[in-house]
């Protein structure tokens, strides 16, 4: 059973309650807007009902229709329908609760089949099962009666729990008593489509993953059976999942944890069984027992890492807050063991991670300060926090600094972490390299940013393999860099490759897959904008009249608007599945991506839907603006990004005044939080110049493009929008010369200089490196050599910044003296 059938079953089970309670007049407009029902056939059919109950019945019938009737219906239609009901909680809250609490049961006949990975060894399973447990059923019944009194009199020691090797639903409990439990139920049916691509793949690492997953899901079924066993067996009533060794199979296997996520996703989305919540509840119970607290705390951190990578950030916050409360109680009881303070230090780092995911920047900085206070207090008492503990702190600080647009701090702490990190902790190494790439890219240190992003991918390939989530994480960072500064066909190919690998590695619609959809959408939009027809510059300098973008061989079909809009919608849909439709904060980046795709669609669309796209995009951005102002402040970097995208949407509709106002707002904010030669500031100025050029205001456009050209280093910088800036600059010179109707030596000289600069830049970048080819190569340097080179670069940068600072101070002192002398 897939998720769509499971949700339809929930509607059928609650059909009577739905028909009696829903108001079709209230719901139909919202359902049409969400594309859950069609505005023509479905609505006409519903309104043919003769009464309120009849119309409600017809509405439920429309919801239960399958494709091809509803081929355009979103895949998460049930989640959207649920959120629409929750918009009126006073009426529909109980109804939604009933839908959520409807557990989908598997028919008993299914349990006679092999659930996952069937093979020839299962043919005579029934005959084998009769001999698999050494004692007969009569002996088992006698022993159960014999031990029942003993079980009820005292708490028993459980030595071992063994699963029958042939019948998974038979369990032998061994300890101070022995018992056989039979006919346990479980839902461990993973859809076969998750493994089709792996099974048919010719890659050796895909086949290896396929066989590894067979073992992983066998372990997962045992965990599910154990949870059901603890629930129904009285002799184990005082036991907890964290009291058993089987939980270690899940938490200690960090390399293969992403395989477990498929199982959780299947159980939660289809059957409504949330074992991640059960784990958190079990951990809280274990912490409340006050027995072996430190051992449980260690497992709690492992569970935090598991759920954090699974995207369950709210559950992670609950786990860490419970751990901190338990440790604080120990401290109040005058238990001052260093390990307790180390765990508190880790707790602060973990909470910073969670706050970053929710854009709670102030809370994140507060936790960072708390971690530093713990470290300082321990240092005073003669106890040092270990270096590997500090590395985690440096990693999360760099992430917080990036979200807070403090790019210098992002680079600084990433660099500190790389100097101390354990080279065998590959996940943390990649996190630090990716954070460093973020900072270097934002500071426009392009060569170092590209080298760092490539180092992350090559390092992950070498030590983790191409079927590792760490490899996907590194690829995502390289795609983000490529989308900003390369923007050619290879960027699209790299983004598509990353999406394909993420689908294989995770095997389900994870958050990582959603972010890969976002990245591919942006790649397609960028490429579509760069291959737009440009004015050819006829000049002797350009003998072949060459055009930049040599790697661009994209067809019109590849750049169809449905492609980038499709990927943006897929990303938004998957994010809604994970966070819920109501979680505005975590959906913020996905809304921005969808608004960007809609803006690109508006620019090329000539149909009647153009106004609908415009309305949808502005609705998304107004919501994003409200979120960004509430979280980051009205003069923050995130708010500026929203204004910049709003201006692009206005410009697509040729609303020049509104577009200019939004760009000026963006520039005012950038002046406060970015240096004047930063990438984002210059790109926004270039956008304003293009707006003036479209309005044929060439004088104002010329001033902007001249200022941008002076800030560019065309000999070392290769990102493609330099081509646009220099082309626009030459075009402005040409139009001004034509308007004056006379030879202007000044304009001619400046135009010639721009032409030669453009020609030289095109010549240097005629053969650009294809990053997609580099990601499969071995790293040319070890991590130690890379950090050593980075140290030299950092020292040079620090000396340069110090020199600039001294010159500025000297300049500020000299100017008043000059003025005094002139007076």
């Amino acid at each position: 059973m897939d998720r769509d059938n499971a949700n339809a079953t929930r509607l059928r089970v609650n059909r009577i309650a739905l028909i009696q309670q829903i108001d079709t007049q209230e719901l139909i407009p919202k359902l049409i807007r969400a594309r859950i029902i069609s505005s023509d056939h479905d609505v006409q059919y519903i309104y043919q009902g003769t009464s309120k109950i009849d119309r409600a019945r017809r509405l439920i019938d429309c919801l239960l229709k399958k494709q091809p009737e509803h081929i355009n219906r979103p895949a998460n239609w049930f989640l959207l329908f649920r959120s629409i009901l929750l918009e009126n909680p006073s009426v529909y809250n109980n109804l939604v609760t009933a839908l959520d609490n409807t557990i989908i049961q598997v028919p008993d006949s299914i349990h006679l089949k092999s659930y996952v990975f069937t093979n020839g060894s299962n043919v005579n399973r029934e005959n084998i099962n009769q001999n698999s447990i050494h004692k007969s059923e009569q002996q088992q019944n006698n022993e159960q009666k014999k031990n029942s009194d003993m079980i009820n009199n005292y708490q028993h020691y459980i030595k071992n729990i063994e699963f029958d090797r042939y019948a998974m639903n038979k369990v032998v409990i061994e300890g101070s008593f022995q018992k056989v439990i039979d006919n346990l139920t479980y839902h461990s049916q993973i859809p076969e489509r998750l493994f089709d691509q792996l099974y048919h793949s010719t890659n050796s690492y895909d086949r290896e993953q396929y066989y590894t997953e067979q073992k992983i899901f066998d372990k997962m079924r045992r965990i599910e059976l154990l949870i059901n066993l603890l629930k129904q067996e009285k002799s184990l009533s005082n036991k907890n999942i964290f009291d058993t060794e089987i939980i270690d199979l899940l938490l200690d296997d960090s390399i293969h944890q992403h395989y477990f996520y498929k199982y959780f996703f299947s159980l939660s989305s289809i059957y409504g069984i949330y074992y991640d919540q059960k784990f958190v509840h079990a951990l809280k119970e274990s912490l409340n027992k006050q027995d072996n607290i430190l051992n449980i705390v260690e497992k709690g951190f492992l569970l935090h890492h598991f759920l954090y990578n699974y995207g369950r950030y709210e559950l992670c916050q609950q786990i860490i807050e419970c751990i901190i409360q338990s440790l604080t109680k120990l401290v109040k009881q005058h238990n001052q063991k260093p390990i307790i303070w180390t765990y508190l230090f880790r707790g602060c780092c973990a909470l910073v991670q969670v706050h970053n995911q929710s854009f709670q920047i102030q809370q994140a900085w507060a936790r960072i300060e708390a971690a530093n206070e713990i470290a300082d207090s321990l240092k005073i008492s003669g106890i040092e926090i270990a270096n590997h503990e500090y590395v985690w702190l440096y990693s999360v600080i760099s992430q917080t600094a990036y979200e807070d647009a403090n790019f210098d701090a992002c680079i600084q702490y990433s660099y500190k972490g790389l100097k101390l990190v354990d080279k065998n902790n590959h996940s943390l190494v990649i996190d630090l390299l990716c954070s460093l790439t973020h900072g270097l890219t934002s500071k426009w240190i392009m060569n170092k940013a590209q080298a760092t992003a490539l180092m992350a991918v090559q390092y992950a390939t070498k030590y983790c393999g191409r079927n590792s989530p760490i490899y996907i994480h590194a690829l995502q960072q390289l795609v983000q860099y490529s989308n900003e500064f390369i923007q050619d066909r290879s960027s699209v190919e790299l983004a598509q490759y990353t999406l394909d690998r993420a689908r294989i590695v995770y095997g389900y619609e994870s958050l990582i897959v959603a972010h890969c959809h976002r990245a591919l959408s942006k790649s397609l939009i960028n490429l579509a904008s760069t291959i737009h027809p440009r004015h050819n510059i006829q000049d002797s300098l350009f003998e072949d009249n060459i055009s930049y973008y040599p790697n661009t061989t994209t067809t019109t079909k590849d750049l169809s608007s449905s492609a980038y809009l499709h990927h943006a919608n897929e990303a938004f849909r998957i994010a809604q599945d994970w966070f819920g439709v109501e979680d505005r904060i975590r959906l913020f980046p996905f809304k921005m991506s969808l608004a960007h795709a809609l803006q690109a669609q508006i620019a090329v669309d000539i149909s009647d839907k153009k106004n609908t796209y415009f309305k949808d995009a502005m609705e998304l951005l107004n919501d994003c603006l409200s979120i960004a102002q509430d979280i980051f402040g009205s003069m923050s970097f995130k708010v500026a990004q929203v204004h910049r995208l709003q201006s692009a949407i206005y410009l697509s509709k040729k609303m020049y005044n509104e577009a200019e106002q939004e760009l000026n707002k963006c520039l005012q904010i950038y002046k406060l939080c970015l240096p004047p030669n930063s990438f984002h500031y210059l790109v926004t100025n270039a956008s304003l110049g293009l707006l003036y050029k479209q309005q044929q205001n060439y004088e104002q456009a010329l001033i902007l493009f001249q200022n941008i050209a002076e800030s560019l280093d065309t000999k070392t910088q290769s990102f493609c929008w330099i081509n646009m800036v220099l082309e626009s600059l030459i075009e402005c010179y040409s139009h001004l010369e034509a308007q004056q109707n006379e030879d202007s030596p000044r304009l001619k000289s400046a135009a010639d200089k721009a032409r030669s600069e453009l020609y030289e830049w095109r010549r240097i970048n005629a053969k650009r490196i294809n990053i997609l080819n580099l990601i499969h190569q071995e790293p040319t340097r070890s991590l130690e050599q890379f950090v050593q080179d980075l140290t030299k670069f950092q020292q040079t940068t620090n000396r340069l910044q110090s020199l600039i600072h001294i010159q500025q101070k000297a300049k500020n002192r000299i100017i008043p003296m000059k003025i005094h002398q002139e007076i």
Side-chain angles (χ1 to χ4, degrees), residues 189-380:
Q189 300 174 77
I190 310 301
E192 293 181 4
R193 60 180 175 78
L194 295 181
F195 310 105
D196 285 344
Q197 195 168 2
L198 283 174
Y199 182 77
H200 294 99
S201 176
T202 57
N203 294 327
S204 59
Y205 44 81
D206 286 344
R207 297 294 294 175
E208 182 182 349
Q209 177 179 336
Y210 178 77
Y211 293 120
T212 302
E213 289 191 14
Q214 295 184 31
K215 301 175 183 178
I216 295 300
F217 286 113
D218 185 66
K219 294 177 183 178
M220 284 310 307
R221 286 187 292 172
R222 295 172 189 270
I223 291 177
E224 184 190 359
L225 282 168
L226 182 60
I227 291 175
N228 292 337
L229 176 66
L230 294 175
K231 188 190 303 182
Q232 74 178 47
E233 181 58 32
K234 293 182 180 179
S235 60
L236 303 176
S237 58
N238 292 331
K239 290 294 176 182
N240 185 296
I241 186 67
F242 277 87
D243 298 332
T244 64
E245 294 182 1
I246 198 168
I247 195 67
D248 297 335
L249 296 173
L250 171 65
L251 300 181
D252 291 340
D253 192 3
S254 59
I255 297 176
H256 299 125
Q257 280 181 352
H258 58 291
Y259 300 153
F260 294 125
Y261 304 157
K262 295 181 184 178
Y263 174 87
F264 282 114
F265 185 78
S266 178
L267 286 182
S268 60
S269 64
I270 297 176
Y271 302 109
I273 304 173
Y274 301 95
Y275 281 116
D276 45 3
Q277 297 177 11
K278 293 181 185 294
F279 285 156
V280 175
H281 180 70
L283 176 70
K284 291 178 180 179
E285 286 185 344
S286 298
L287 288 172
N288 291 333
K289 289 180 181 178
Q290 299 296 325
D291 296 329
N292 297 322
I293 288 292
L294 296 182
N295 290 335
I296 299 299
V297 165
E298 184 65 36
K299 287 187 178 182
F301 278 109
L302 293 175
L303 181 62
H304 159 77
H305 289 300
F306 175 84
L307 294 179
Y308 182 83
N309 293 327
Y310 183 44
R312 294 296 191 247
Y313 305 124
E314 292 179 356
L315 294 178
C316 289
Q317 185 165 348
Q318 293 178 29
I319 291 169
I320 300 302
E321 287 175 349
C322 288
I323 287 175
I324 290 176
Q325 289 174 4
S326 299
L327 294 173
T328 305
K329 289 180 183 178
L330 293 178
V331 171
K332 290 180 179 179
Q333 295 170 4
H334 306 289
N335 190 339
Q336 299 292 332
K337 291 181 180 180
I339 187 63
I340 294 178
W341 289 103
T342 302
Y343 280 140
L344 285 171
F345 181 86
R346 287 189 196 174
C348 291
C349 296
L351 283 177
V352 173
Q353 275 188 310
V354 176
H355 291 321
N356 287 339
Q357 291 295 334
S358 302
F359 300 108
Q360 298 171 335
I361 304 304
Q362 291 182 349
Q363 294 91 323
W365 284 120
R367 290 294 178 180
I368 291 170
E369 187 177 350
N372 285 321
E373 287 178 359
I374 291 173
D376 292 340
S377 300
L378 289 177
K379 193 172 184 179
I380 293 172

Side-chain angles (χ1 to χ4, degrees), residues 92-145:
Y92 299 119
N93 193 51
N94 292 335
L95 191 57
V96 172
T97 302
L99 289 170
D100 292 344
N101 292 335
T102 302
I103 303 297
I104 307 301
Q105 297 291 343
V106 182
D108 292 337
S109 59
I110 294 179
H111 287 289
L112 297 177
K113 301 178 181 178
S114 173
Y115 290 97
V116 184
F117 307 115
T118 58
N119 54 46
S121 63
N122 297 324
V123 175
N124 297 321
R125 175 170 294 182
E126 292 183 3
N127 295 331
I128 297 173
N129 286 343
Q130 294 176 1
N131 301 320
S132 60
I133 304 296
H134 300 298
K135 299 174 184 177
S136 65
E137 292 184 5
Q138 185 175 0
Q139 288 175 321
Q140 292 172 15
N141 292 333
N142 292 336
E143 286 195 8
Q144 288 177 12
K145 291 179 182 178

Side-chain angles (χ1 to χ4, degrees), residues 1-117:
M1 179 181 291
D2 59 17
R3 182 178 65 169
D4 203 50
N5 287 330
N7 290 329
T9 302
R10 288 187 174 89
L11 292 181
R12 292 189 184 98
V13 170
N14 297 279
R15 182 184 179 91
I16 295 175
L18 286 164
I19 291 173
Q20 291 176 344
Q21 296 182 46
I22 62 174
D23 182 0
T24 55
Q25 190 171 1
E26 175 190 358
L27 297 180
I28 283 176
K30 299 176 181 179
L31 293 172
I32 293 173
R33 181 63 186 267
R35 293 182 290 118
I36 296 175
I37 62 174
S38 64
S39 57
D40 43 17
H41 299 94
D42 288 340
V43 173
Q44 184 179 0
Y45 171 73
I46 292 168
Y47 281 127
Q48 286 175 356
T50 56
S51 64
K52 180 180 178 181
I53 295 291
D54 190 27
R55 288 189 289 272
R57 178 183 60 77
R58 288 170 177 262
L59 173 58
I60 300 302
D61 290 339
C62 291
L63 294 177
L64 292 173
K65 286 181 182 177
K66 295 183 178 181
Q67 291 187 356
E69 291 91 341
H70 286 152
I71 194 169
N72 295 321
R73 175 187 285 178
N76 60 340
W77 64 270
F78 181 80
L79 183 67
L80 295 172
F81 174 68
R82 180 184 176 279
S83 69
I84 290 171
L85 293 178
L86 285 176
E87 291 178 8
N88 191 351
S90 60
V91 177
Y92 299 119
N93 193 51
N94 292 335
L95 191 57
V96 172
T97 302
L99 289 170
D100 292 344
N101 292 335
T102 302
I103 303 297
I104 307 301
Q105 297 291 343
V106 182
D108 292 337
S109 59
I110 294 179
H111 287 289
L112 297 177
K113 301 178 181 178
S114 173
Y115 290 97
V116 184
F117 307 115

Side-chain angles (χ1 to χ4, degrees), residues 520-660:
L520 181 54
S521 175
K522 186 171 183 179
S523 298
L524 290 168
I525 293 170
N526 289 340
L527 186 59
S529 65
T530 56
I531 67 169
H532 259 269
R534 299 183 180 277
H535 295 286
N536 291 327
I537 303 171
Q538 302 293 341
D539 197 283
S540 59
L541 286 172
F542 304 95
E543 295 175 359
D544 300 324
N545 198 21
I546 62 169
S547 120
Y548 181 64
Y549 322 111
N551 296 329
T552 302
T553 57
T554 309
T555 63
T556 307
K557 181 180 178 182
D558 294 328
L559 296 177
S560 62
S561 58
S562 59
Y564 51 72
L565 197 54
H566 163 74
H567 289 293
N569 274 312
E570 282 294 284
F572 188 52
R573 176 186 63 79
I574 296 170
Q576 286 179 322
D577 277 353
W578 278 97
F579 300 128
V581 180
E582 300 83 13
D583 195 337
R584 296 169 62 240
I585 294 175
R586 291 196 180 101
L587 292 176
F588 173 82
F590 298 93
K591 289 182 177 180
M592 289 286 287
S593 296
L594 182 54
H596 190 193
L598 289 169
Q599 177 268 324
Q601 175 74 4
I602 295 167
V604 299
D605 197 278
I606 57 174
S607 66
D608 296 336
K609 292 184 177 180
K610 190 169 185 175
N611 290 330
T612 304
Y613 293 139
F614 176 79
K615 184 178 179 181
D616 291 343
M618 292 307 298
E619 183 179 337
L620 286 168
L621 285 184
N622 287 333
D623 190 32
C624 289
L625 183 61
S626 173
I627 295 169
Q629 288 174 339
D630 292 343
I631 297 175
F632 301 100
S634 58
M635 301 300 288
S636 63
F637 181 78
K638 296 286 186 184
V639 170
Q641 287 181 310
V642 179
H643 284 304
R644 184 171 148 195
L645 188 50
Q646 281 181 325
S647 72
I649 293 174
Y650 283 129
L651 193 59
S652 300
K653 289 273 289 183
K654 300 189 184 320
M655 301 170 67
Y656 296 116
N657 292 333
E658 291 83 353
E660 184 178 355

Side-chain angles (χ1 to χ4, degrees), residues 418 421 423 429 433 455 459 781-787:
L418 284 170
V421 69
K423 305 307 180 289
V429 169
L433 288 173
M455 180 67 185
Y459 186 90
R781 292 172 291 175
S782 66
L783 187 64
E784 291 79 4
Q785 291 172 330
F786 181 81
V787 173

Side-chain angles (χ1 to χ4, degrees), residues 400-417:
T400 306
Y402 175 77
E403 293 295 343
D404 204 21
N406 189 345
F407 305 129
D408 288 317
C410 177
I411 295 173
Q412 177 187 358
Y413 282 101
S414 300
Y415 170 69
K416 284 184 177 181

